[in-house]
Amino acid sequence: IGDHGAPAPEVSAAALAAIDSVLTTLPPQPVTLTVLGSADDVAVYLTFIQPPGRPPGPVLTPQTVPTSAQWHAGLDLDDSGAGCLEVSWRRN
């Protein structure tokens, strides 16, 4: 939804790595990937119902992403194991 623009290659690579680190831990199931873009910010949400089979790898800000991108990734799981990965960055 909205215009997410074309992020810098470092931002794209970091977002893909975070999404991949969660997807590879999930059992087969439908997931929802939502991308929201505003004039200044972009956010990607990956939601799932079944819990990961193992803990996902760290989804921390890689050193290669410029600080001006304000890149952030976080994973929230509820008591059942369902959850959401949120990755966000500032458009340049």
Side-chain angles (χ1 to χ4, degrees), residues 32-72:
T32 302
L33 182 67
T34 305
V35 180
L36 302 174
S38 71
D40 296 323
D41 300 304
V42 178
V44 176
Y45 301 92
L46 176 72
T47 57
F48 50 90
I49 296 173
Q50 296 178 359
R54 59 182 163 77
V59 286
L60 302 174
T61 303
Q63 298 297 322
T64 58
V65 175
T67 57
S68 62
Q70 297 179 14
W71 193 91
H72 169 77

Side-chain angles (χ1 to χ4, degrees), residues 7-30:
E10 300 88 359
V11 172
S12 295
L16 181 59
I19 293 167
D20 186 59
S21 73
V22 172
L23 280 178
T24 58
T25 66
L26 296 176
Q29 65 181 290

